[in-house]
Amino acid sequence: FLIGYLLLSLPAISQKRAINVDDLWAIRRVGTFTLSPDGNWIAYTITQYNMEKNSQNTDIYLIRSVGGSSRQLTTSPAYDGNPCWSPDGSFLSFISRRDGTPQIYVIPMNGGEAQKISNIPTGVKDFLWSPDGRFFAFTSEIHPGTTLDSSKTIDEKKLKSKVKARIIDHLLYRHWNRWLEGKRTHIFVIPSTGGSPWDVTPGDFDAPPISLGSRRDFTFSPDGKEIAFVRNIDPVVALSTNNDIFVVSSKGGTIKRITQNPGNDNQPVYSPDGKYIAYRSMQHSGYEADQYDLMLYDRRSHIIRNLTPEFDLDVDEIVWSPSGEKIYFTSEDQGSIIIFSIEIKNGKIKGLVHSGCNTNLCIAPDESQLYFRRTRVNFPHEIFSCNTKGEDTFQLTFTNNDILDKLEMNNLENFWFPSFDRKIIHGFILKPPFFDPAKKYPVIMLIHGGPQGAWMDEFHYRWNAQMFASREYVVVMINFRGSKGYGQDFCSLVSKNWGGGPYRDIMAGLDYVLKKYPCLLYTSDAADELDGVDLGGRRI
């Protein structure tokens, strides 16, 4: 019986192959997801690409929070994304481009067609539902001092004009791959049944800012009466990292600044009882790669407390526990994104989920389960869950099994080495599929940007290490000094030294793998040079 089983398995093994560019673009990308208020359903997005048509489309899917079969909720050939549940769970709202300009739609969960709620001339960028279900807060780009309608008119006139020159008289005038056209992002509020919106963040400022932000930089208070948001009011934002937290009535009116820190403050999140606002904060001004600490603002006393003064990693996503006793957060740590918890009362931090890169953190309303997206270098994003102790991890979605079952992709292998000054540096090796230790393989060294970035154990859709390995390269990736996830002192070593220490780390790492990995195969003596070297308490 065993021999017969093995013989039957051989064809399936032999049919596996290396990944190619068609596979990369055929992989369906699991995007953001949201948990229903009763904790029973997950709404999430899948984006698919068509190489022949040079197009993409995003739709919304539903799956039970305990797993099972998923079903497609939207089928429009235009974008449907940003799913958001109504507070009572009876509706799912989302942004759709099915009528051209992105607008808010809602679909009843007991059956029925999607209904268009907003008709914003300049379109909707992001939105959320107020806790009482009466309003939406949304963002849109407008020209300062104009209304939504008049701002749209200005855009239309520019589009029709034969004059295409731009007059640039301020910074920022362009961000990444798009012109800003002098417009600002503002936050508006609109009844959830539709109607006329009002601007709650007027003025010649972006709210939220277009750079140095977080997962979301505006939110309602639990009673729906207040909106906390992020804004930078420095004279030249292009030279500043001074984002701050502000609050305003959801009806509009006087805006109040609640942080005076010269560094970057963002991602305000109200506690469930409304007593606090948690947020992330950098201490130093003008330094975009400073460490993010987790701060707690007392809305009554206005006292601000640093919850993570001794935690030597960046705080990323922030999620309050329903009881308000803990905050769950994510942090980059040595090439992974880890889930932690911290107790509000005593600041005790505990690592919960260590494997892979885990993002889009959510928590069940009964505080029994955590939900998150996970990826690894040979595993595109899927949705997982575990209990709040970090145990019993369970995969909920299996979006690309039909493609992955055909592909041979290896895991990342870690290595550590002493650099030119004996500082310990972390790197990854990715071997090509069907690696043969008897063969010689060329090496390709990938160098990350930032420069305060890091190579992560992730299936990256742009800098995809598997695509290099599939051409029979052994891929080496060094997280040189300046990389994130190794403490702030290590990160700061790249400042004013881009071509110095980091370059020497990369070359020392290359020398190390060529010397210590025969045919680039790991051997038991690969860590000999680490004997007696102080690793600073870091795990290997």
Side-chain angles (χ1 to χ4, degrees):
F1 175 79
L2 179 59
I3 295 174
Y5 174 80
L6 292 173
L7 289 173
L8 287 172
S9 300
L10 285 175
I13 296 173
S14 64
Q15 289 173 4
K16 284 202 170 188
R17 55 179 173 78
I19 190 172
N20 59 43
V21 68
D22 294 307
D23 298 317
L24 183 64
W25 288 104
I27 286 173
R28 297 174 286 276
R29 305 183 186 183
V30 175
T32 58
F33 72 90
T34 180
L35 186 66
S36 63
D38 61 8
N40 291 331
W41 291 93
I42 293 173
Y44 66 102
T45 63
I46 294 179
T47 300
Q48 301 184 64
Y49 290 81
N50 188 310
M51 288 185 68
E52 292 182 2
K53 296 180 180 179
N54 191 27
S55 64
Q56 70 180 72
N57 187 39
T58 300
D59 280 303
I60 299 172
Y61 291 71
L62 285 177
I63 189 171
R64 287 196 174 275
S65 59
V66 294
S69 300
S70 64
R71 67 181 177 93
Q72 188 170 346
L73 187 65
T74 64
T75 58
S76 168
Y79 173 88
D80 292 324
N82 297 65
C84 180
W85 295 93
S86 64
D88 63 3
S90 60
F91 291 91
L92 185 71
S93 55
F94 59 96
I95 293 176
S96 179
R97 288 181 173 270
R98 60 186 64 186
D99 289 335
T101 306
Q103 302 293 342
I104 300 172
Y105 285 71
V106 299
I107 187 168
M109 298 312 297
N110 60 359
E113 296 296 321
Q115 304 168 12
K116 183 178 178 180
I117 298 299
S118 69
N119 188 24
I120 309 304
T122 51
V124 174
K125 291 176 60 180
D126 192 10
F127 81 107
L128 51 83
W129 215 308
S130 67
D132 59 9
R134 297 176 57 201
F135 302 101
F136 290 116
F138 70 89
T139 59
S140 190
E141 292 183 346
I142 67 170
H143 295 275
T146 68
T147 64
L148 291 164
D149 288 316
S150 60
S151 189
K152 177 66 172 179
T153 300
I154 293 172
D155 291 339
E156 291 174 343
K157 287 182 178 180
K158 284 186 176 181
L159 186 63
K160 294 176 181 179
S161 174
K162 295 181 179 179
V163 178
K164 300 302 179 185
R166 290 178 172 85
I167 298 174
I168 305 298
D169 58 4
H170 70 281
L171 298 173
L172 297 164
Y173 60 86
R174 186 174 171 84
H175 187 248
W176 291 110
N177 62 349
R178 67 186 183 99
W179 298 97
L180 300 180
E181 307 294 1
K183 294 192 286 187
R184 297 291 194 179
T185 299
H186 283 189
I187 301 168
F188 298 81
V189 176
I190 187 175
S192 58
T193 54
S196 299
W198 54 93
D199 188 348
V200 297
T201 60
D204 193 9
F205 305 103
D206 285 298
I210 59 174
S211 62
L212 302 179
S214 70
R215 177 181 173 185
R216 172 166 284 149
D217 284 327
F218 67 102
T219 187
F220 279 102
S221 60
D223 61 9
K225 295 180 179 180
E226 184 179 87
I227 293 175
F229 65 94
V230 180
R231 170 185 272 184
N232 188 328
I233 61 174
D234 280 5
V236 184
V237 174
L239 301 177
S240 168
T241 64
N242 191 23
N243 291 342
D244 277 302
I245 311 294
F246 296 77
V247 294
V248 65
S249 167
S250 54
K251 296 179 180 179
T254 302
I255 294 174
K256 177 185 176 183
R257 180 178 179 177
I258 66 172
T259 62
Q260 303 294 329
N261 173 50
N264 183 11
D265 302 317
N266 60 34
Q267 198 180 162
V269 186
Y270 288 88
S271 61
D273 59 10
K275 292 181 179 180
Y276 303 102
I277 297 176
Y279 64 96
R280 304 189 306 166
S281 180
M282 293 182 178
Q283 180 180 355
H284 299 100
S285 64
Y287 183 30
E288 64 180 28
D290 199 9
Q291 180 170 301
Y292 274 118
D293 288 324
L294 177 58
M295 314 299 287
L296 198 65
Y297 170 77
D298 188 312
R299 296 177 68 197
R300 177 175 296 178
S301 68
H302 312 300
I303 294 174
I304 296 174
R305 178 162 59 105
N306 187 349
L307 295 178
T308 56
E310 305 300 325
F311 186 69
D312 197 20
L313 294 171
D314 283 304
V315 172
D316 194 358
E317 298 177 27
I318 302 169
V319 177
W320 280 90
S321 66
S323 66
E325 296 177 354
K326 293 182 180 179
I327 290 176
Y328 295 87
F329 65 93
T330 60
S331 291
E332 289 186 24
D333 184 11
Q334 302 179 29
S336 297
I337 299 179
I338 308 302
I339 299 175
F340 293 88
S341 67
I342 182 170
E343 298 180 22
I344 301 302
K345 183 179 295 185
N346 56 26
K348 183 179 179 181
I349 297 174
K350 181 180 180 182
L352 302 175
V353 181
H354 297 276
S355 177
C357 290
N358 307 288
T359 56
N360 201 163
L361 186 59
C362 296
I363 186 169
D366 63 359
E367 207 165 328
S368 63
Q369 294 287 115
L370 296 173
Y371 298 89
F372 48 92
R373 285 190 310 159
R374 170 174 290 177
T375 180
R376 302 196 72 162
V377 74
N378 55 357
F379 185 76
H381 288 92
E382 296 288 0
I383 301 173
F384 283 72
S385 69
C386 69
N387 63 33
T388 47
K389 295 180 180 179
E391 303 167 340
D392 301 328
T393 302
F394 182 73
Q395 184 175 343
L396 296 171
T397 60
F398 299 82
T399 311
N400 291 294
N401 274 18
D402 58 332
I403 299 175
L404 298 180
D405 287 344
K406 301 174 184 177
L407 303 180
E408 179 76 9
M409 295 188 290
N410 288 316
N411 294 314
L412 285 181
E413 298 179 20
N414 295 272
F415 65 94
W416 296 80
F417 64 94
S419 192
F420 65 96
D421 57 357
R422 304 299 289 171
K423 189 171 292 294
I424 301 304
I425 307 297
H426 182 211
F428 293 114
I429 279 183
L430 179 64
K431 295 172 183 173
F434 314 108
F435 178 80
D436 182 355
K439 291 175 58 176
K440 292 286 187 178
Y441 290 89
V443 178
I444 186 165
M445 174 72 74
L446 300 184
I447 303 174
H448 72 68
Q452 297 98 340
W455 289 117
M456 309 294 289
D457 188 5
E458 64 177 331
F459 192 87
H460 202 295
Y461 297 108
R462 280 194 300 167
W463 315 116
N464 191 283
Q466 297 288 352
M467 290 298 295
F468 291 94
S470 70
R471 297 303 181 260
E472 297 198 345
Y473 285 100
V474 170
V475 181
V476 178
M477 299 177 285
I478 306 293
N479 279 339
F480 49 79
R481 64 193 67 204
S483 300
K484 280 292 187 180
Y486 303 86
Q488 189 56 37
D489 288 344
F490 186 85
C491 175
S492 298
L493 291 174
V494 72
S495 298
K496 300 180 181 180
N497 190 27
W498 295 8
Y503 166 76
R504 298 179 71 181
D505 290 342
I506 291 168
M507 299 312 295
L510 181 58
D511 289 342
Y512 179 81
V513 297
L514 292 176
K515 177 182 177 182
K516 287 294 182 179
Y517 291 70
C519 297
L520 300 170
L521 179 66
Y522 179 83
T523 59
S524 60
D525 66 347
D528 286 351
E529 290 191 28
L530 297 181
D531 290 345
V533 177
D534 180 15
L535 300 179
R538 295 217 164 266
R539 59 181 174 80
I540 298 182

